[in-house]
Amino acid sequence: MKLTRVEFIFDAVGEHCVPVGTHRHGCCVLQRCIDHASGPQKVQLIAQITQNAFQLVQDPFGNYVVQYIRMLVPSHIPHTLLT
């Protein structure tokens, strides 16, 4: 499927990354969105997750999302999250 056809999904998932990321199946959806997003869209998804990282890491499923982006692109995680 062309990336332009699914960009609205990435936008919606990013905008609602906390409820999606803290859901049992949603955390997997969010991770797959990161995998399939284009460069700028991927950066935006990671930024939205990073902005909500404190909420996400307090949830068992949300924590997986934060760990996932930490594995993929360590430079996108602010140093303050690691302390």
Side-chain angles (χ1 to χ4, degrees):
M1 189 178 298
K2 287 189 175 188
L3 208 51
T4 55
R5 291 185 180 171
V6 295
E7 280 188 19
F8 75 96
I9 296 171
F10 301 145
D11 291 339
V13 167
E15 186 178 328
H16 303 284
C17 66
V18 173
V20 173
T22 56
H23 185 271
R24 187 172 119 192
H25 301 294
C27 67
C28 296
V29 170
L30 190 49
Q31 290 174 20
R32 296 301 76 79
C33 286
I34 293 166
D35 288 342
H36 296 286
S38 66
Q41 194 74 41
K42 184 178 288 198
V43 169
Q44 183 175 343
L45 278 170
I46 290 170
Q48 290 168 312
I49 293 165
T50 302
Q51 289 171 357
N52 293 285
F54 186 73
Q55 277 184 281
L56 289 165
V57 298
Q58 295 179 43
D59 179 83
F61 301 113
N63 189 43
Y64 286 127
V65 175
V66 175
Q67 288 179 40
Y68 188 74
I69 64 168
R70 178 70 178 105
M71 258 185 0
L72 287 178
V73 273
S75 63
H76 282 74
I77 305 295
H79 187 347
T80 55
L81 288 177
L82 302 176
T83 56

